[in-house]
Amino acid sequence: MSVDLVGFLGVVLVAYVVPGPDFLVVVRSATEHPAKGRAAALGAQTGLCVHMLAAAAGLSLIAARSPAVYDAIKLLGAAYLVYLGVRAVLAARRAARERAAGREATGGLEDGTGPRTPKEQDGPARGRWQSGFTQGFLTNVLNPKAALFFLSILPQFVHGGGSTSRQIFFLGTLDIVIGVAYWFALVAVAARLRAFLARPKVRYRWEMTTGWLFIGIGIGVAAAA
């Protein structure tokens, strides 16, 4: 097996460092709970596994050569990003209304509960993990650009004889392993912001900002279809 590892690693590192929808999903999940951030990271990389296996089997070639299939995947991905954004915005507004109602009930004072601590935001462990994994997985598996990466970019680093599918599988696996390490390091950093983001006003701004970012990215993806 002969592959251009140096060039491939350079491209992979740049691809991960440049923020995209999966970056936003992982960071947002990590600020809710580290376990949810790790679950989102594993979900995102599992989505890449699907694209890698499809590319190795030649299925991505069919999608790439069929505009209808490509556009359908792109629109599904865009719709899911908009859905995540709308849900975040609505949740932020609902929490703000609940805090306002609590202040009114106490005569204009704080509702007495104070900012939610990170522990109070944890929720059931299993549901938290499933939510993070699902968001990460769908964000990447519905991203046709990820499929095109494995189909068009990755094969450029394959050289010499041997099975092209095996070489694509090797490079794809390396990409996924690097991604897991990168995401887990990012989760560790983002998780340190949990106490800061537990403050109601800060949490509101964070939810609104990330929500509108999701909506903006989704609309941009749909517009490019």
Side-chain angles (χ1 to χ4, degrees):
M1 182 180 298
S2 176
V3 295
D4 181 5
L5 280 179
V6 175
F8 176 73
L9 290 176
V11 170
V12 167
L13 291 175
V14 171
Y16 278 114
V17 170
V18 176
D22 48 0
F23 179 94
L24 193 56
V25 167
V26 172
V27 171
R28 190 172 183 278
S29 298
T31 58
E32 293 181 24
H33 194 281
K36 185 174 181 180
R38 290 189 289 270
L42 293 176
Q45 298 310 97
T46 302
L48 290 185
C49 285
V50 174
H51 290 303
M52 177 186 67
L53 294 175
L59 297 179
S60 293
L61 185 61
I62 299 175
R65 291 183 175 178
S66 174
V69 173
Y70 181 85
D71 288 344
I73 296 174
K74 181 180 288 188
L75 289 174
L76 282 174
Y80 183 68
L81 292 175
V82 171
Y83 161 75
L84 291 179
V86 170
R87 192 172 69 170
V89 170
L90 293 179
R93 290 179 175 175
R94 182 170 60 251
R97 287 196 299 268
E98 290 174 354
R99 288 195 301 273
R103 286 193 296 270
E104 290 178 2
T106 55
L109 300 175
E110 293 294 333
D111 59 8
T113 60
R116 292 184 302 165
T117 65
K119 186 166 187 149
E120 290 173 329
Q121 299 180 49
D122 287 354
R126 183 172 180 177
R128 183 174 61 236
W129 197 93
Q130 289 179 341
S131 174
F133 185 90
T134 300
Q135 290 181 20
F137 177 78
L138 291 179
T139 297
N140 261 0
V141 83
L142 294 177
N143 183 0
K145 291 183 179 179
L148 290 179
F149 173 83
F150 283 97
L151 180 66
S152 59
I153 304 299
L154 189 148
Q156 296 181 29
F157 300 96
V158 174
H159 301 291
S163 171
T164 300
S165 295
R166 287 179 57 189
Q167 295 179 66
I168 290 177
F169 184 79
F170 169 75
L171 291 176
T173 301
L174 184 59
D175 177 4
I176 291 166
V177 170
I178 292 173
V180 170
Y182 172 76
W183 291 133
F184 275 34
L186 185 65
V187 167
V189 174
R192 294 181 178 274
L193 299 174
R194 293 183 68 216
F196 175 69
L197 290 173
R199 303 173 183 176
K201 290 183 179 180
V202 176
R203 189 74 194 179
Y204 174 79
R205 295 191 183 100
W206 169 254
E207 293 283 352
M208 292 293 288
T209 300
T210 55
W212 282 110
L213 280 174
F214 273 125
I215 293 172
I217 293 173
I219 292 174
V221 170

